[in-house]
């Protein structure tokens, strides 16, 4: 499954809100994140997606900087823009590293990733935007509000790898399909 390990991400927005749970309101939040990753991440969502969006670079274009790579670094359809991905991924653990006023990493469990979009970038990079939906504590919500428009170190641990150690290990989302 898709995971991130200590990736630099921008907190685009945090929207605290209330959800009705019976007669009571429960604090919920949507954390919108933007991260730039290698285009190989697309393989964790759908086999063939990366090949659909990227091509090998032509003479004079930026070549693959990773030795042994497949050379898919040029965007096939540069005017396409961001592409929405209509699937949700529940059960993630989200860790925002210390720094920017956080004395300890912020660890949030039972996170659902949704509203995912992919924007292919030249050179084999991919800008990924997504929302993390969860039920924060009041102190977590306050800390997240302070992080809006800031860069953070982000780790996402899939439900398959929670409790297996500190570093996430990528597994293919399409393997189970």
């Amino acid at each position: 499954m898709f995971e991130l390990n200590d990736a630099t991400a921008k907190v685009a927005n945090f929207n605290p809100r209330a959800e009705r749970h019976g007669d009571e309101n429960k604090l919920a939040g949507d954390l919108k994140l933007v991260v730039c990753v290698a285009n190989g991440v697309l393989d964790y969502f759908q086999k063939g997606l990366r090949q659909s969006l990227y091509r090998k670079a032509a003479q004079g274009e930026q070549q693959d900087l990773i030795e042994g790579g497949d050379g898919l670094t040029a965007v096939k359809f540069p005017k396409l823009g961001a592409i929405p991905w209509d699937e949700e991924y529940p059960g993630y653990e989200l860790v925002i590293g210390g720094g920017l006023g956080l004395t300890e990493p912020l660890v949030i469990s039972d996170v659902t990733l949704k509203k995912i979009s992919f924007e292919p970038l030249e050179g084999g990079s991919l800008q990924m935007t997504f929302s993390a939906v969860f039920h924060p504590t009041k102190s977590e919500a306050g800390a997240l509000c302070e992080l809006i428009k800031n860069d953070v170190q982000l780790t996402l641990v899939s439900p398959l790898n929670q409790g297996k150690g500190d570093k996430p290990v990528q597994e293919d989302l399409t393997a189970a399909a």
Side-chain angles (χ1 to χ4, degrees), residues 65-83:
L65 299 177
I66 300 171
E67 197 158 317
D70 60 7
L72 297 177
T73 59
V75 177
K76 275 187 183 178
F77 310 106
K79 297 192 188 299
L80 193 58
I83 301 158

Side-chain angles (χ1 to χ4, degrees), residues 158-170:
S158 77
L160 297 176
N161 288 321
Q162 290 176 24
K164 291 186 179 179
D166 295 337
K167 304 260 187 215
V169 178
Q170 291 277 14

Side-chain angles (χ1 to χ4, degrees), residues 30-46:
D30 303 311
L31 181 65
K32 185 176 181 180
L33 295 158
V34 180
V35 62
C36 190
V37 294
N39 66 10
V41 164
L42 292 169
D43 295 337
Y44 294 101
F45 290 91
Q46 181 69 49

Side-chain angles (χ1 to χ4, degrees), residues 30-130:
D30 303 311
L31 181 65
K32 185 176 181 180
L33 295 158
V34 180
V35 62
C36 190
V37 294
N39 66 10
V41 164
L42 292 169
D43 295 337
Y44 294 101
F45 290 91
Q46 181 69 49
K47 289 194 185 304
L49 184 57
R50 184 169 53 99
Q51 292 80 358
S52 298
L53 299 174
Y54 292 88
R55 61 175 171 75
K56 289 191 177 190
Q59 188 76 15
E61 293 179 321
Q62 182 175 342
Q63 301 296 312
D64 195 349
L65 299 177
I66 300 171
E67 197 158 317
D70 60 7
L72 297 177
T73 59
V75 177
K76 275 187 183 178
F77 310 106
K79 297 192 188 299
L80 193 58
I83 301 158
W85 191 254
D86 189 26
E87 192 159 348
E88 296 182 6
Y89 301 95
Y92 272 78
E93 181 177 85
L94 182 142
V95 181
I96 296 178
L100 292 172
L102 294 176
T103 54
E104 294 183 19
L106 197 55
V107 180
I108 301 170
S109 299
D110 196 25
V111 175
T112 298
L113 304 181
K114 59 195 275 185
K115 296 183 181 174
I116 299 169
S117 70
F118 306 114
E119 184 174 349
L121 303 173
E122 291 296 335
S125 295
L126 177 76
Q127 181 173 291
M128 218 178 129
T129 303
F130 59 93

